[in-house]
Amino acid sequence: MSTYVYGITAASHPSLPEGMGGVGDPPRPVRILKEGELAAVVSDAPEGLRPKRRDLLAHQNVLSEAGAAACVLPMRFGSVAPDDGAVTGVLAERADHYAERLRTLDGRVEYNVKATHDEEAVLHRVMSENPEIRGLTEANRQAGGGSYEQRLQLGEMVVAAVKTREAEDATEVQRALEPVAEAISVGPESTGWLANISFLVHRDSAAAFLNEVEQVRKGHPHLDLRVNGPLPPYSFVDPGPAEPAGTTAGAESAEE
């Protein structure tokens, strides 16, 4: 039977709560596979695993329980190996790499910050900062709305100005928060966000990081900042030359 991998930790990691269940219906019992100085938190992998909310939460709960006792390198939801031997083989092959990651990430958590524009507020800001847009807007108003070409020109100018502001604000969010984090990982570009950045933060510095987020909010009222965390440091695991286990299901969406 294939093996579901939740995370990698040190072989000295304290035992998990007895009877802990993981993914699957019924939940598969969670167990520990040891190889040298390392261990993997695993369970049997259910057939036809899909990213349903129940299983996403089960995956997260296992990592939260394991991470509360000691550092764990979290695997993404859906990480499945052919069998237990494949998992221990990877632990042996990449022992030095995983040991280094465990030392680096010990005591650290991840905060993901996503930023979008408040549409009305950013339009007001663009208007106040751009005299050419203000002038054309006033000219169109006095002309009863302006011609089609004039309205089109104004629309194109506004879109361009908002795009410029998006890039500037993404840079500003990163610039403001990076000094209170130990590392950053910029997420993939998306039409839904002007910034999508994960920050590696020491647990002892979490309050300072969240305070800086509030300062960014206060200083940029045209931005909507959404913070998710503390999370296991998914974005900073860096599995090495190849993935430790194949991904059979995505981690970004859940089915009810």
Side-chain angles (χ1 to χ4, degrees), residues 28-252:
R28 304 304 196 265
V30 176
R31 49 198 172 83
I32 299 291
L33 293 178
K34 293 186 178 182
E35 174 62 37
E37 299 298 316
L38 296 173
V41 182
V42 305
S43 69
D44 291 345
E47 294 184 5
L49 180 66
R50 301 285 296 168
K52 296 181 180 180
R53 183 174 299 277
R54 177 187 64 242
D55 288 323
L56 289 167
L57 291 175
H59 179 93
Q60 183 67 35
N61 180 63
V62 171
L63 287 172
S64 296
E65 287 284 351
C71 184
V72 175
L73 304 180
M75 297 294 107
R76 296 283 182 179
F77 178 88
S79 295
V80 177
D83 52 35
D84 287 2
V87 176
T88 55
V90 169
L91 295 182
E93 179 184 348
R94 304 181 194 159
D96 291 343
H97 172 77
Y98 288 133
E100 183 278 330
R101 287 287 84 197
L102 284 167
R103 288 192 297 270
T104 299
L105 297 179
D106 189 26
R108 277 76 177 172
V109 292
E110 176 175 332
Y111 284 90
N112 176 257
V113 177
K114 290 183 172 69
T116 57
H117 273 152
D118 179 291
E119 186 174 343
E120 183 176 346
V122 77
L123 287 176
H124 178 77
R125 180 157 187 161
V126 163
M127 292 284 288
S128 66
E129 293 176 342
N130 195 312
E132 188 176 1
I133 290 178
R134 289 201 309 274
L136 185 55
T137 300
E138 179 60 22
N140 285 357
R141 187 188 66 79
Q142 293 182 2
S147 66
Y148 170 78
E149 289 76 12
Q150 289 170 323
R151 294 196 302 272
L152 181 62
Q153 179 187 6
L154 177 60
E156 290 174 344
M157 291 173 62
V158 170
V159 168
V162 169
K163 280 288 185 185
T164 299
R165 171 52 58 185
E166 285 180 351
E168 292 174 349
D169 285 335
T171 299
E172 177 62 20
V173 169
Q174 180 174 328
R175 185 201 65 78
L177 299 179
E178 191 168 5
V180 287
E182 296 189 4
I184 67 167
S185 176
V186 178
E189 292 187 6
S190 168
T191 55
W193 314 101
L194 63 89
N196 175 16
I197 310 171
S198 291
F199 297 86
L200 184 67
V201 178
H202 198 285
R203 290 182 186 275
D204 294 341
S205 302
F209 177 82
L210 294 175
N211 180 68
E212 192 60 37
V213 171
E214 287 304 312
Q215 296 305 311
V216 174
R217 281 197 178 106
K218 292 177 181 178
H220 301 76
H222 62 291
L223 287 180
D224 176 17
L225 293 182
R226 303 183 187 182
V227 181
N228 190 16
L231 302 168
Y234 290 107
S235 301
F236 304 92
V237 169
D238 182 17
E243 292 294 331
T247 298
T248 59
E252 301 304 321

